[in-house]
Amino acid sequence: MNAITPVILSGGSGTRLWPLSREAYPKQFLPLAGTATMLQATWQRVAAIAAHGPLVIANEAHRFVAAEQLQQVGAQPQAIILEPVGRNTAPAIAVAALEATGNDEDPLLLVLPSDHVIADEAAFHAAVRLAAAAAEAGKLVTFGIVPSGPETGYGYIKAAPGNGARAVERFVEKPDLATATDYVASGHYLWNSGMFLLRASRYLDELARFNPAMLEACRGAWQGARRDADFTRLDAAAFAAVPSDSIDYAVMEKTADAVVVALDAGWNDVGSWTALRDVSTQDSHGNAHRGDVIAIDCRNTYAYGEKLVALVGLDDVIVVQTDDAVLVGKADRMQEVKDVVARLKAEGRSEASWHRKVYRPWGAYDSIDNGARFQVKRITVKPGGTLSLQMHHHRAEHWVVVSGTAEVTRGDEVLLLGENQSTYIPLGVTHRLRNPGKLPLELIEVQSGSYLGEDDIVRFEDTYGRS
Amino acid sequence: MNAITPVILSGGSGTRLWPLSREAYPKQFLPLAGTATMLQATWQRVAAIAAHGPLVIANEAHRFVAAEQLQQVGAQPQAIILEPVGRNTAPAIAVAALEATGNDEDPLLLVLPSDHVIADEAAFHAAVRLAAAAAEAGKLVTFGIVPSGPETGYGYIKAAPGNGARAVERFVEKPDLATATDYVASGHYLWNSGMFLLRASRYLDELARFNPAMLEACRGAWQGARRDADFTRLDAAAFAAVPSDSIDYAVMEKTADAVVVALDAGWNDVGSWTALRDVSTQDSHGNAHRGDVIAIDCRNTYAYGEKLVALVGLDDVIVVQTDDAVLVGKADRMQEVKDVVARLKAEGRSEASWHRKVYRPWGAYDSIDNGARFQVKRITVKPGGTLSLQMHHHRAEHWVVVSGTAEVTRGDEVLLLGENQSTYIPLGVTHRLRNPGKLPLELIEVQSGSYLGEDDIVRFEDTYGRS
């Protein structure tokens, strides 16, 4: 098999799995279907058949978490390409193909969303091998999922009769139930999975043919990219000008070389809480529960509880509890979670996009309590992590170290604080927090002042390029 | 109308309304059906027809909250009689009758559970007036609710034909649906409400006749009671020896003088979340939501949210979210909440009986975060409130005042701290916290140590008699 470069698309915002998944820390970064996160599992699934580390396309806002999660599983990405805005899959794959061909190489690109589940890895690898032969021959291969039922939530692909890589007769939009039932009965239709295998140059050629403006705009954004140690940052203005489109519309439905390889490997796109229920281990009554859940006589429920969740007499209901929001819905209505998120956004509520616990390159903070003129945060700093040198105009801060060691810069002083030691940062005093130790540092911060917004921060210096 | 003394029974534990109601702070102390708590509403409902402040029977553990809530609505109780353990209604009413007749008076006792809703106060007063005439004549009056349907959750009373105070033909246990339907169709049956009107001496006489051992045991507990400013504390050993029984079994089913007065006044015993839904203001789709609730296409739901609750496509589902637990159940199954509480108790979980926020005579504390060797509490002290003079063997405490003024005794020092000031109480140092001001004091306490249980406290002195 020829050299395969995985292209992992990690730009999604995962709003259909709110409140666990939120824009600022979405689905692909969560361990929804196992102990690894979905991004990590996506890499692990292809590591054995990849000739190189992956090309990862991620949202600029997720750069630190993406890099850290890939590092944790030893992915050694060739590049983490950062999109300043989302422009759908056609441009994302275009910049990946430009990056892949930048050294006069021309690998096969295995394009994978970062948030799917595939239960049968061996069957997946076999399908990739079949697809690779076709891609070598210049075909643009899409993977079509062998339907397990008349799903109305997916697009379908009609394949020509035969075996192996079959010509695509047509792509069809999400059908109604009657149509879906006919499709499945016919045996000619597969679900459109959003996974592809194609030679980088062939994709660029076809894009040049069907959508030259898009390709040129992508090339501009890629040529203007700033590169630092970990990241390839696309030129923001240029990428913002790229038209938004899917690879299906922009290329696959137009090219004469589209083929489809059938995949029957326990695939699931985990597109809703109900889908997650269906791929989770269930008890004999169809219940799948994670976390601290007590149930009395329930059937077909999914529950996720960070604290105690008690269920009584429910059938086909989903319950998801996080530290600042609870979602409860009928299983067949969970696609409408996106309407909840839309309403929260319209109301300007932070729960739409942010978790209570916010991840930063140095660690995380969690707002555990607040009142009229105060806020309490639990701050975790990784070993070696350093917050920016900063100052606040409207608040003083009390810090109590509860675990690990803190190096605190306060004005001209530098203090070393251990467990059960505290300090006070008066309003207006320049300060910095660092974990000089080998264990995580945890401290409780009590903020006191008339304005406690995150934007009351003057950054003088920052290790992570944020000042 | 003759002198009426309300007897308010406040000993219940309210587990069927878990997780909002818990043993340590149950249903009757919550504003479930309005802005006043149910105990307060019970007093306000009878204040206009009462000749005296109420006799209140409460659990020893609830003494401070009961006294404070009654004081807030100007109830001026004749006595707050404290039960060290619950012994059901017959003994509770017996000690109330002993207390009421202690000064050679013999009032009519209007016995009222503290956790019912009555929508139509005028109709209730009219029924009490009708009952008073019968009670004056020596009858033991029970109030029978005119059924709104064939409820299987209540006992029934068969009344003799006629109007006004009618003889009780018989009491019947909770029936099955077919029987309940027959009862309601017959027009002769009323729901057993648990409310009574009876002359104190008549009740004592009848109890002496049918259950002399119970009366003597109650008399012993009452004669041995310790009385202080607010409370009549029944003798613990004596009251523990009292047999447990309801007034229905112990007296009403045996006396020849039982009569029933019909009550049609929007009564509801709020015996489950579903009952609370049914007495709450509903939108045009039958939904009743309190707190921070967003719903998309729901019907007949009840939701209570202390933080954000989002509902999607639900029908006839109840959702109750508190800071440490979420309950979700099918409306017609909510009686089984008691099974949830039983299971939590069996597992030794504090959520069975305690809220995260714990009320004390001086104020409250709320455990907002914790880890392996630390705990963070938000402590609220009422104006004038004083915590005990105390010491801990296993933890140090950092205190940051975030609102109001604190007087801190620390060893031999006394400090006055305002907003944004802090202090440190080392392990082993005697300390005390007081609010000397006119506004509530709020502070954040960070505990650090190897053992953080509530029982690591040595009390040297306590304003509330707890040392």
Side-chain angles (χ1 to χ4, degrees):
Chain A
M1 181 158 56
N2 283 77
I4 286 179
T5 292
V7 173
I8 301 180
L9 304 177
S10 181
S13 63
T15 53
R16 289 181 299 176
L17 290 177
W18 182 92
L20 204 57
S21 168
R22 305 189 195 182
E23 263 179 32
Y25 203 92
K27 182 185 170 193
Q28 59 270 30
F29 302 117
L30 302 173
L32 284 178
T35 51
T37 70
M38 302 194 80
L39 171 65
Q40 290 173 330
T42 302
W43 163 250
Q44 289 170 328
R45 187 179 299 135
V46 295
I49 56 172
H52 306 279
L55 287 166
V56 178
I57 325 292
N59 186 303
E60 166 87 16
H62 303 144
R63 63 194 184 279
F64 295 112
V65 59
E68 182 178 353
Q69 291 198 355
L70 292 164
Q71 186 267 323
Q72 283 166 351
V73 293
Q76 297 185 291
Q78 292 182 59
I80 300 176
I81 302 173
L82 300 178
E83 296 177 318
V85 290
R87 283 294 177 259
N88 210 331
T89 50
I93 299 167
V95 294
L98 291 167
E99 183 79 18
T101 54
N103 295 334
D104 289 329
E105 296 182 19
D106 190 10
L108 300 185
L109 303 181
L110 176 57
V111 177
L112 302 168
S114 57
D115 56 357
H116 291 180
V117 164
I118 295 176
D120 183 348
E121 204 168 289
F124 173 61
H125 289 177
V128 170
R129 277 188 286 268
L130 203 57
E136 281 291 345
K139 298 296 183 186
L140 284 70
V141 187
T142 179
F143 292 91
I145 308 299
V146 178
S148 57
E151 276 288 332
T152 56
Y154 301 131
Y156 283 68
I157 297 169
K158 188 176 185 196
N163 290 307
R166 293 185 274 166
V168 171
E169 292 199 352
R170 61 185 183 113
F171 291 87
V172 289
E173 299 287 333
K174 296 175 184 175
D176 59 26
L177 185 61
T179 310
T181 305
D182 289 347
Y183 286 171
V184 173
S186 77
H188 298 304
Y189 286 82
L190 302 162
W191 294 341
N192 190 342
S193 71
M195 298 188 291
F196 304 91
L197 188 68
L198 26 79
R199 184 171 285 286
S201 61
R202 280 293 294 138
Y203 179 68
L204 294 172
D205 289 348
E206 294 297 84
L207 189 60
R209 186 166 162 202
F210 300 117
N211 210 327
M214 179 186 285
L215 177 58
E216 285 320 298
C218 288
R219 195 186 303 276
W222 177 73
Q223 284 174 336
R226 288 187 298 122
R227 288 152 200 278
D228 59 33
D230 287 323
F231 304 118
T232 300
R233 298 164 187 261
L234 296 173
D235 182 81
F239 198 72
V242 172
S244 184
D245 207 355
S246 71
I247 179 176
D248 291 298
Y249 285 135
V251 174
M252 296 303 290
E253 296 188 8
K254 297 187 171 114
T255 180
D257 285 325
V259 299
V260 60
V261 167
L263 179 65
D264 190 0
W267 172 91
N268 192 300
D269 71 346
V270 197
S272 70
W273 284 108
T274 309
L276 186 58
R277 176 193 65 180
D278 296 343
V279 298
S280 299
T281 306
Q282 296 170 9
D283 69 17
S284 60
H285 295 108
N287 300 298
H289 296 163
R290 286 185 75 169
D292 190 2
V293 180
I294 284 183
I296 292 182
D297 195 22
C298 290
R299 274 146 215 280
N300 310 310
T301 59
Y302 179 89
Y304 174 92
E306 294 185 355
K307 289 179 178 167
L308 175 60
V309 172
L311 310 179
V312 178
L314 296 169
D315 187 6
D316 225 32
V317 168
I318 310 286
V319 179
V320 182
Q321 177 219 41
T322 66
D323 49 20
D324 63 350
V326 176
L327 169 71
V328 184
K330 193 73 181 156
D332 60 1
R333 302 288 297 275
M334 297 307 283
Q335 292 293 344
E336 293 168 58
V337 170
K338 64 182 189 306
D339 301 334
V340 172
V341 177
R343 197 190 294 187
L344 292 172
K345 275 198 178 176
E347 292 174 5
R349 294 187 63 151
S350 69
E351 297 98 329
S353 308
W354 292 88
H355 291 90
R356 205 185 73 173
K357 184 170 180 177
V358 175
Y359 291 86
R360 294 288 187 224
W362 45 261
Y365 64 83
D366 187 1
S367 179
I368 57 178
D369 197 14
N370 61 77
R373 292 169 53 84
F374 74 94
Q375 180 171 211
V376 187
K377 287 183 175 176
R378 178 176 179 172
I379 295 175
T380 311
V381 186
K382 298 172 193 170
T386 307
L387 280 71
S388 58
L389 182 68
Q390 57 187 245
M391 184 268 278
H392 311 292
H393 286 114
H394 301 291
R395 66 179 189 248
E397 294 175 344
H398 301 255
W399 289 349
V400 181
V401 174
V402 293
S403 132
T405 302
E407 181 193 281
V408 177
T409 304
R410 188 178 66 173
D412 297 332
E413 298 171 278
V414 177
L415 316 166
L416 211 60
L417 302 180
E419 183 180 311
N420 194 28
Q421 293 187 302
S422 67
T423 190
Y424 173 62
I425 313 290
L427 179 159
V429 171
T430 300
H431 58 280
R432 170 167 242 168
L433 176 62
R434 191 170 87 85
N435 178 358
K438 301 294 181 198
L439 298 171
L441 160 66
E442 285 194 300
L443 60 81
I444 303 299
E445 172 181 272
V446 182
Q447 302 177 352
S448 177
S450 53
Y451 177 77
L452 303 167
E454 286 303 317
D455 54 347
D456 176 20
I457 184 167
V458 181
R459 283 207 179 95
F460 301 103
E461 202 186 307
D462 185 71
T463 312
Y464 310 97
R466 301 174 304 158
S467 60
Chain B
M1 181 159 53
N2 282 77
I4 287 178
T5 292
V7 174
I8 301 179
L9 305 177
S10 181
S13 63
T15 53
R16 289 181 299 176
L17 290 177
W18 183 92
L20 204 58
S21 169
R22 305 189 195 182
E23 263 180 31
Y25 203 93
K27 182 185 169 194
Q28 59 269 30
F29 302 117
L30 302 173
L32 284 177
T35 51
T37 70
M38 302 195 81
L39 171 65
Q40 291 173 329
T42 301
W43 164 250
Q44 289 170 329
R45 188 178 299 134
V46 296
I49 56 172
H52 305 280
L55 287 166
V56 178
I57 324 294
N59 186 304
E60 165 87 15
H62 303 144
R63 62 195 185 278
F64 295 113
V65 59
E68 183 178 354
Q69 291 199 355
L70 292 164
Q71 185 267 325
Q72 283 167 352
V73 293
Q76 296 185 291
Q78 291 181 63
I80 300 176
I81 302 172
L82 301 178
E83 297 177 319
V85 289
R87 283 294 177 257
N88 209 332
T89 50
I93 298 167
V95 294
L98 292 166
E99 183 81 17
T101 54
N103 296 333
D104 288 330
E105 296 183 17
D106 190 10
L108 301 185
L109 303 182
L110 176 57
V111 178
L112 302 168
S114 58
D115 56 356
H116 291 180
V117 163
I118 294 177
D120 183 348
E121 203 168 291
F124 173 60
H125 290 176
V128 171
R129 275 188 288 268
L130 202 57
E136 280 291 345
K139 299 295 183 188
L140 282 70
V141 187
T142 179
F143 293 91
I145 308 299
V146 178
S148 57
E151 275 289 333
T152 56
Y154 302 129
Y156 283 67
I157 297 169
K158 186 176 186 197
N163 290 306
R166 294 185 274 166
V168 172
E169 293 198 352
R170 61 184 183 115
F171 290 87
V172 289
E173 299 288 332
K174 296 174 184 173
D176 60 25
L177 185 61
T179 310
T181 305
D182 290 347
Y183 287 170
V184 174
S186 77
H188 298 304
Y189 286 83
L190 301 162
W191 294 340
N192 190 346
S193 71
M195 299 188 290
F196 304 91
L197 188 67
L198 27 80
R199 183 170 287 284
S201 60
R202 279 295 293 139
Y203 178 69
L204 294 173
D205 289 348
E206 294 297 83
L207 188 60
R209 188 167 161 201
F210 300 116
N211 209 328
M214 178 186 287
L215 177 59
E216 285 321 297
C218 288
R219 195 185 304 276
W222 176 74
Q223 284 173 336
R226 287 187 300 123
R227 288 153 201 278
D228 58 33
D230 288 322
F231 305 117
T232 299
R233 298 163 186 263
L234 297 173
D235 182 81
F239 198 72
V242 172
S244 183
D245 207 355
S246 72
I247 178 176
D248 291 298
Y249 284 134
V251 174
M252 295 303 290
E253 296 188 8
K254 298 186 169 118
T255 180
D257 284 324
V259 299
V260 60
V261 166
L263 179 65
D264 190 0
W267 172 90
N268 191 300
D269 71 345
V270 196
S272 70
W273 284 109
T274 309
L276 186 59
R277 175 193 65 181
D278 295 343
V279 297
S280 299
T281 307
Q282 295 170 8
D283 69 16
S284 60
H285 294 108
N287 300 298
H289 296 163
R290 287 184 75 171
D292 190 2
V293 180
I294 284 183
I296 291 182
D297 195 23
C298 289
R299 277 148 214 278
N300 309 311
T301 59
Y302 178 88
Y304 173 92
E306 295 185 354
K307 289 180 179 165
L308 176 60
V309 172
L311 311 179
V312 178
L314 296 168
D315 188 5
D316 226 32
V317 168
I318 310 286
V319 179
V320 182
Q321 176 220 41
T322 66
D323 48 20
D324 63 350
V326 176
L327 169 70
V328 183
K330 193 73 181 158
D332 61 2
R333 302 288 298 275
M334 297 307 283
Q335 293 293 344
E336 293 167 58
V337 169
K338 63 181 188 309
D339 301 333
V340 172
V341 176
R343 196 189 298 187
L344 293 172
K345 274 197 180 177
E347 292 174 5
R349 295 187 62 151
S350 69
E351 297 98 329
S353 308
W354 292 88
H355 291 92
R356 205 186 73 174
K357 183 170 181 176
V358 175
Y359 290 87
R360 293 289 186 224
W362 45 260
Y365 65 82
D366 188 1
S367 180
I368 58 178
D369 197 12
N370 61 77
R373 290 170 54 85
F374 75 95
Q375 179 172 211
V376 187
K377 286 183 174 176
R378 177 176 178 171
I379 296 176
T380 310
V381 186
K382 298 172 192 171
T386 307
L387 280 71
S388 58
L389 183 68
Q390 57 188 243
M391 185 268 279
H392 311 291
H393 286 115
H394 300 291
R395 66 180 189 248
E397 294 176 342
H398 300 255
W399 290 349
V400 181
V401 174
V402 294
S403 126
T405 302
E407 183 192 279
V408 177
T409 304
R410 188 179 66 172
D412 297 331
E413 299 172 278
V414 176
L415 316 167
L416 211 59
L417 301 180
E419 182 181 312
N420 194 28
Q421 294 187 303
S422 66
T423 191
Y424 172 62
I425 314 289
L427 180 158
V429 170
T430 299
H431 57 279
R432 170 167 242 168
L433 177 63
R434 191 170 86 88
N435 177 358
K438 301 295 182 197
L439 298 171
L441 160 65
E442 285 193 301
L443 60 82
I444 302 299
E445 173 180 271
V446 181
Q447 303 177 351
S448 178
S450 53
Y451 177 77
L452 302 167
E454 286 303 317
D455 54 348
D456 175 21
I457 184 167
V458 182
R459 284 208 179 96
F460 300 104
E461 201 186 308
D462 185 71
T463 311
Y464 311 96
R466 301 175 304 159
S467 60

